[in-house]
Amino acid sequence: MSQEVPEPPDAEDEEAGEQAPFRRYLTRVGAERMHRELLQLLNEARPKVTAEVSAAAAQGDRSENAEYIYGKKRLREIDRRIRFLSKRLDTATIVDPSEQEDRSKVYFGATVTLEDEAGIRSTYQIVGSDEIDASGGRISVESPMGRALLRKAPGDTVEVRRPRGEIELTLVDIRYD
């Protein structure tokens, strides 16, 4: 199951609210993490804040009630995050890296081991933009490094532009866990 990852939409298109023909990809682990957060917000955080707002509203004058004003603000933030997560999960294409058939090249979900010019090795997983975690070794498929690695095989060398200048990396290993 080779996944072709289309080019991401321009940021301007997304901000203008236009629907681009681009599907977001998530690994199964990333989708489960987002789903857990959504359930926590729906089942724990929102009911708790709603109860706090109701209690604050019962105290009387709402215009000068800091607890009420802050609670309403927090409720809006929770609702915004719930809408965001729901939309992302509804429109995302879930990819299970372990089901990748062509394991000879880098595709979405691959875990790659790279070696830089100094011989230092590092390992990253290529994930969707909603899953990135540099300290956890997860980089976006849309990042300069992610784009450069797509469709490369072990032994291939890629040049990646970064803020500190270009770096040359050699692809040492590919895994699909």
Side-chain angles (χ1 to χ4, degrees):
M1 164 172 136
S2 266
Q3 290 95 11
E4 287 294 318
V5 179
E7 292 296 313
D10 291 334
E12 295 168 4
D13 293 344
E14 208 168 81
E15 290 171 7
E18 294 177 22
Q19 196 66 289
F22 174 76
R23 290 206 40 113
R24 295 203 180 270
Y25 290 87
L26 285 173
T27 61
R28 183 158 314 282
V29 172
E32 289 170 357
R33 188 179 306 117
M34 289 175 77
H35 187 71
R36 278 193 306 272
E37 181 184 353
L38 178 62
L39 290 176
Q40 187 274 332
L41 289 171
L42 286 169
N43 298 329
E44 295 172 29
R46 192 173 196 292
K48 178 183 173 194
V49 173
T50 302
E52 291 171 1
V53 168
S54 295
Q59 294 175 3
D61 186 13
R62 296 177 185 169
S63 64
E64 295 181 13
N65 187 335
E67 290 176 8
Y68 177 80
I69 293 168
Y70 176 75
K72 291 293 282 185
K73 180 181 179 201
R74 180 72 182 121
L75 202 53
R76 283 191 302 272
E77 291 168 356
I78 290 170
D79 288 342
R80 190 176 307 124
R81 183 68 180 165
I82 288 170
R83 281 191 307 275
F84 173 83
L85 290 171
S86 297
K87 183 177 177 183
R88 289 290 200 207
L89 289 169
D90 287 346
T91 60
T93 300
I94 309 297
V95 177
D96 188 348
S98 65
E99 295 176 2
Q100 178 66 30
E101 292 175 8
D102 182 4
R103 295 172 178 254
S104 65
K105 294 185 178 179
V106 176
Y107 296 103
F108 182 86
T111 301
V112 296
T113 302
L114 305 170
E115 187 174 301
D116 67 10
E117 297 137 339
I120 299 171
R121 289 187 179 204
S122 49
T123 303
Y124 301 100
Q125 183 180 21
I126 311 295
V127 296
S129 59
D130 294 319
E131 304 175 76
I132 59 173
D133 177 12
S135 63
R138 292 188 295 273
I139 61 170
S140 172
V141 69
E142 299 168 16
S143 70
M145 187 182 301
R147 286 184 182 189
L149 289 169
L150 284 178
R151 296 182 249 341
K152 300 296 185 228
D156 288 352
T157 301
V158 296
E159 284 188 21
V160 178
R161 281 199 179 127
R162 56 186 187 159
R164 289 182 281 165
E166 287 189 8
I167 185 169
E168 194 172 282
L169 301 167
T170 303
L171 181 59
V172 178
D173 185 43
I174 304 169
R175 292 188 331 268
Y176 288 93
D177 303 327

